[in-house]
Amino acid sequence: MDEYDEQIEDTLAVHALQGLSPEEAEAVEAYLAAHPEAAAELAEYEQAVSALGFAAPPLQPSADAEAALLARVDADARRRTASSAQTASPPPQTSSWRTFFSALLARPAFGAASLAFAAVLVVWTAVLFGRNSALQVLNEGLVTDNVQLSAEVSTLNAQNDALAAKNDTLNAANSSLENQVRDLTQANGDLLARVNNLDTANAALETEIASLLAMNAELTEAYAALETDTESAQQVLALLTSPTVEAVTIPGNPETQPEAQGQLLVDGDRETAVLVVAGMEPPPQGSVYQVLLIHDTGHETADTFVVDTQGESVLIVHSEQPLSTFNAVGVSVEPAGGSPQRTGDIVLLGSIN
Amino acid sequence: MKELSDEQLIARVKTGDTTAYKELYHRYASPVLGLSYRIVGDRAKAEEIMQETFWRVWDNVDSFRKQRGTFPNWVFGIARNLSIDVVRRRKIVRMEPLPDAHGDYAETSEQMKDDHDVAEAAWLLMKSEKVHHAMRELPDEQREVVEWIYFQGMTRREIAKEKDIPFGTINTRAQLALKKLKRALESNGFFEES
């Protein structure tokens, strides 16, 4: 049995699970006694097996089952305590009296006086026996009381232990909660700081976005102006390169601005023309110059303009009809923004045809 | 009393301390009843087995030797053997599936919360769930061997005959299963909490 036995070694796990027959298990146990390393391996397996008891979901025993079991155990404990108390109590001391009477009766001078004395002794002894019996009953009662008191002390100890354990549990839970609150407070502070940082960053971004939007609006406006300028330039270029373009001189009104002079580059088939003016006075405050297109039955007001410090200006004149349908062109002084009908003095006037 | 280890409580029970005994009872009655119910599948019979198990703990506490294993090993061993005896007498072998973590466990948890110390119940449920999870991680053929032997009380000889599996294979599967189970339980902290 001292030799290594591979077959038995291989069965240790099954043995830990209690899956061997009684004969096989007996052989394994005998082998273990001589092979501590195998016993150690078995202990490893048994540790895993001990956990299997927890594999099933725990179930709360019924109150009746618990009460019945614990009552049975309490009763047994009391019985054991009482049994050990009786075993420990001293035996009744009657032998000394028996010895005394035997000695007395054996004496040779035993007479009537002795008999009377003996009778008194018998009565006294009876009384003493009676008192002894009463004391024994009292003693048994005290033993019973003692057992009951022990049980009560045990119960109170149990309650005390349970309360102490609950107190410990609550203290531990309280401490854990305090730690959690501290951690959460710290985490909350960190989050608030991060939120503040994000708010600051967000405000900076909003400012930048507003600035970019304003810049975008300006660029859009500039782009629109450039598109307008480009369109005007294209129109002027088309007009100037037209083979049928003519230059019409528009003199200043001798009564209002005799020094003023204008030239209209016009192509009769088109709806646009270029007006170049010079020598004009600045229009009065709150007024602009406005082009008049005059035909047989009236006139139409067209584009408005102002002049520079030299009294000069170049503008494109737009019409809804070909310019060949008009007989003359003029410039009048009108309120800022222009007027649908002429209201002011004419400062330039000339025939188109 | 709760901070005392199982071994310290056992030492007190050996002196006749019923308070220590009741602490052990409250610590292990629920898993013992769960184990018995898992094996016999009858609540009333399982309660009888639980009572008898703990009576034997009280009555035979002097025979408990730490060198021969832990208290859980001892008490579960008593309960398991009593349960297997019942099953063998009935000649019925139950094949109870492992409980689902979100089904039976939740139900058991609710039941235990009603009338049991919450911390104790949570501790037991946590241990139960860790073992349950570790068992689930085992390969099927290894878990089956554990189920057949431990929960159904089959011997190696019976398995070999009924399932037509060689002795050597049963031995190997049992070894691998228990080693993996122990490693998994060590890694999930099962033993540290006890």
Side-chain angles (χ1 to χ4, degrees):
Chain A
M1 187 56 81
D2 287 346
E3 292 178 5
Y4 178 83
D5 187 329
E6 188 175 354
Q7 281 193 334
I8 288 186
E9 295 269 350
D10 285 347
T11 62
L12 292 177
V14 177
H15 182 57
L17 287 164
Q18 301 184 41
L20 296 179
S21 67
E23 299 77 24
E24 292 170 330
E26 194 176 337
V28 171
E29 288 294 331
Y31 181 82
L32 291 172
H35 293 84
E37 73 288 348
E41 188 178 352
L42 177 66
E44 295 281 309
Y45 290 135
E46 283 180 335
Q47 192 180 11
V49 171
S50 72
L52 290 175
F54 288 100
L59 291 173
Q60 174 67 13
S62 68
D64 290 345
E66 179 176 334
L69 173 68
L70 298 183
R72 187 181 179 192
V73 168
D74 281 336
D76 189 64
R78 282 196 298 274
R79 184 187 59 74
R80 292 183 189 184
T81 305
S83 173
S84 60
Q86 282 181 356
T87 304
S89 61
Q93 295 182 353
T94 55
S95 57
S96 60
W97 291 100
R98 285 178 185 151
T99 306
F100 175 78
F101 276 113
S102 299
L104 186 67
L105 292 170
R107 291 182 63 173
F110 187 71
S114 298
L115 280 174
F117 179 66
V120 171
L121 280 179
V122 167
V123 172
W124 186 32
T125 303
V127 170
L128 285 178
F129 270 120
R131 288 182 66 187
N132 189 38
S133 297
L135 284 173
Q136 279 189 345
V137 170
L138 183 60
N139 184 45
E140 286 173 3
L142 287 172
V143 168
T144 305
D145 289 347
N146 188 35
V147 169
Q148 288 177 345
L149 287 172
S150 295
E152 286 178 16
V153 167
S154 178
T155 304
L156 288 172
N157 277 335
Q159 290 176 349
N160 190 36
D161 286 342
L163 286 172
K166 277 188 181 172
N167 188 40
D168 289 345
T169 304
L170 287 173
N171 277 337
N174 191 33
S175 175
S176 171
L177 284 173
E178 282 178 350
N179 287 337
Q180 285 184 39
V181 166
R182 189 164 52 249
D183 291 346
L184 286 172
T185 304
Q186 175 67 36
N188 192 33
D190 292 346
L191 284 173
L192 280 175
R194 288 173 64 184
V195 167
N196 286 337
N197 290 339
L198 287 173
D199 279 346
T200 305
N202 193 35
L205 284 173
E206 282 181 350
T207 304
E208 196 169 339
I209 286 170
S211 171
L212 288 171
L213 283 174
M215 193 182 296
N216 187 41
E218 287 175 8
L219 288 172
T220 303
E221 193 175 337
Y223 178 75
L226 280 174
E227 277 192 329
T228 304
D229 289 349
T230 302
E231 187 182 352
S232 298
Q234 285 174 341
Q235 289 173 354
V236 171
L237 184 63
L239 182 67
L240 293 177
T241 56
S242 171
T244 55
V245 66
E246 294 178 17
V248 176
T249 299
I250 306 171
N253 186 341
E255 294 179 359
T256 54
Q257 290 195 37
E259 301 299 326
Q261 188 177 12
Q263 278 221 316
L264 185 70
L265 300 174
V266 61
D267 181 345
D269 296 332
R270 296 176 186 270
E271 288 81 22
T272 56
V274 175
L275 176 63
V276 181
V277 298
M280 294 186 71
E281 297 173 2
Q285 187 74 25
S287 302
V288 293
Y289 292 121
Q290 187 167 22
V291 177
L292 300 175
L293 296 171
I294 301 163
H295 49 70
D296 291 340
T297 58
H299 69 273
E300 293 177 5
T301 55
D303 305 88
T304 61
F305 65 96
V306 293
V307 295
D308 59 18
T309 55
Q310 305 299 317
E312 296 174 349
S313 182
V314 178
L315 72 149
I316 298 173
V317 178
H318 299 85
S319 168
E320 293 181 356
Q321 298 167 18
L323 290 166
S324 59
T325 59
F326 297 99
N327 299 325
V329 62
V331 173
S332 63
V333 178
E334 300 296 339
S339 172
Q341 289 291 325
R342 182 181 72 82
T343 61
D345 294 336
I346 292 176
V347 293
L348 287 172
L349 182 64
S351 171
I352 292 177
N353 297 319
Chain B
M1 185 66 76
K2 190 175 275 185
E3 69 272 10
L4 295 181
S5 68
D6 292 346
E7 285 70 26
Q8 288 170 317
L9 289 172
I10 280 288
R12 290 193 177 195
V13 174
K14 284 182 177 179
T15 68
D17 185 344
T18 54
T19 305
Y21 173 80
K22 286 169 188 171
E23 175 61 25
L24 274 177
Y25 172 83
H26 286 123
R27 198 174 281 184
Y28 289 103
S30 299
V32 164
L33 180 58
L35 173 65
S36 298
Y37 179 68
R38 167 88 184 277
I39 295 173
V40 301
D42 179 320
R43 178 64 188 245
K45 185 58 73 179
E47 292 225 353
E48 285 177 21
I49 291 168
M50 185 276 297
Q51 283 181 281
E52 181 59 24
T53 299
F54 277 93
W55 170 252
R56 291 190 184 191
V57 167
W58 169 259
D59 204 32
N60 301 314
V61 68
D62 288 332
S63 69
F64 174 74
R65 296 284 180 276
K66 187 169 181 280
Q67 292 76 10
R68 292 293 298 139
T70 60
F71 177 72
N73 201 19
W74 186 47
V75 71
F76 287 140
I78 297 171
R80 184 254 179 197
N81 289 339
L82 289 171
S83 304
I84 295 297
D85 286 345
V86 169
V87 172
R88 284 184 182 279
R89 278 199 299 275
R90 289 195 314 211
K91 304 251 184 239
I92 295 173
V93 176
R94 283 176 54 81
M95 187 65 181
E96 192 72 15
L98 284 172
D100 182 72
H102 300 292
D104 295 356
Y105 277 111
E107 192 175 301
T108 308
S109 174
E110 284 304 312
Q111 178 194 347
M112 296 192 68
K113 277 178 190 169
D114 288 345
D115 47 6
H116 208 220
D117 180 71
V118 173
E120 191 78 24
W123 179 78
L124 288 173
L125 279 173
M126 192 173 62
K127 289 184 84 69
S128 178
E129 192 163 358
K130 284 178 176 176
V131 179
H132 174 77
H133 183 72
M135 285 284 285
R136 280 282 184 212
E137 294 295 307
L138 293 179
D140 288 346
E141 67 277 9
Q142 293 173 20
R143 188 172 61 247
E144 281 172 350
V145 169
V146 174
E147 292 272 343
W148 291 331
I149 298 177
Y150 190 81
F151 292 107
Q152 298 182 22
M154 295 178 76
T155 64
R156 183 178 61 156
R157 197 176 300 279
E158 288 169 335
I159 295 171
K161 185 178 176 186
E162 289 184 22
K163 312 291 182 186
D164 195 22
I165 302 174
F167 275 10
T169 305
I170 299 170
N171 291 341
T172 305
R173 288 180 183 174
Q175 286 169 8
L176 292 174
L178 293 186
K179 284 178 180 172
K180 283 182 188 172
L181 188 62
K182 184 166 182 289
R183 274 200 303 275
L185 293 172
E186 281 170 343
S187 66
N188 70 23
F190 175 87
F191 295 117
E192 291 162 18
E193 292 146 6
S194 55

